[in-house]
């Protein structure tokens, strides 16, 4: 885990992403064309670093997907440091963020609360 890469504006775990060497994500200054990120742009417009800092319970952009939404909700409840701690502990337990491209252990959920509990415990 590359903890220093932290969490993206939308809640995705840059610190665990196998694509973090090629993904420009939130680091891209000019978010135009294929690099454009609705969540990053919204945060920038509101002067926020992450969607988790916003009072709105929104599901736009990547927050329409359960993983970034649940990660964002986790940060709202417990803080980014706790999320990073849980992700590191889960990685040590063998929990995989990405598998076969973009599908990993955190993607196998259809219930936000169940995913948040899995993040906390690493146990299904």
């Amino acid at each position: 885990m590359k903890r220093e890469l932290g969490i993206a504006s939308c809640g995705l775990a840059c610190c665990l992403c196998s694509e973090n060497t090629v993904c420009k994500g939130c680091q891209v200054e000019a978010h135009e064309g294929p690099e454009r990120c609705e969540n990053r742009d919204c945060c920038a417009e509101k002067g926020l670093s992450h969607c988790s800092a916003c009072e709105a319970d929104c599901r736009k952009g990547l927050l329409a997907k359960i993983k970034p939404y649940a990660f964002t909700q986790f940060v709202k409840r417990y803080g980014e440091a706790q999320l990073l701690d849980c992700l590191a502990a889960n990685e040590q337990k063998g929990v995989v963020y990405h598998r076969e491209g973009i599908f990993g252990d955190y993607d196998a959920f259809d219930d936000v609360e169940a995913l948040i509990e899995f993040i906390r415990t690493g146990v299904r």
Side-chain angles (χ1 to χ4, degrees), residues 39-108:
N39 301 101
R40 191 263 186 206
D41 290 348
C42 182
C43 286
E45 288 170 14
K46 293 180 178 181
L48 304 172
S49 59
H50 296 86
C51 293
S52 60
C54 185
E55 292 181 12
D57 184 24
C58 118
R59 298 293 295 253
K60 68 179 164 185
L62 285 171
L63 294 178
K65 298 181 179 200
I66 191 168
K67 182 168 63 177
Y69 181 75
F71 279 39
T72 296
Q73 293 304 306
F74 188 99
V75 172
K76 282 185 177 193
R77 293 179 194 176
Y78 306 109
E80 184 175 346
Q82 183 66 29
L83 175 60
L84 293 170
D85 290 346
C86 289
L87 294 175
N90 290 345
E91 184 180 45
Q92 291 294 318
K93 294 177 188 174
V95 174
V96 177
Y97 187 72
H98 280 299
R99 178 182 287 128
E100 298 175 20
I102 62 168
F103 190 81
D105 295 322
Y106 296 102
D107 296 298

Side-chain angles (χ1 to χ4, degrees), residues 8-67:
S9 296
C10 64
L12 289 177
C14 299
C15 59
L16 289 174
C17 182
S18 61
E19 299 169 10
N20 63 26
T21 58
V22 294
C23 172
K24 295 179 184 158
C26 300
Q27 310 308 316
V28 176
E29 289 299 321
H31 277 67
E32 298 299 328
E35 301 285 339
R36 186 165 191 86
C37 174
E38 183 177 3
N39 301 101
R40 191 263 186 206
D41 290 348
C42 182
C43 286
E45 288 170 14
K46 293 180 178 181
L48 304 172
S49 59
H50 296 86
C51 293
S52 60
C54 185
E55 292 181 12
D57 184 24
C58 118
R59 298 293 295 253
K60 68 179 164 185
L62 285 171
L63 294 178
K65 298 181 179 200
I66 191 168
K67 182 168 63 177

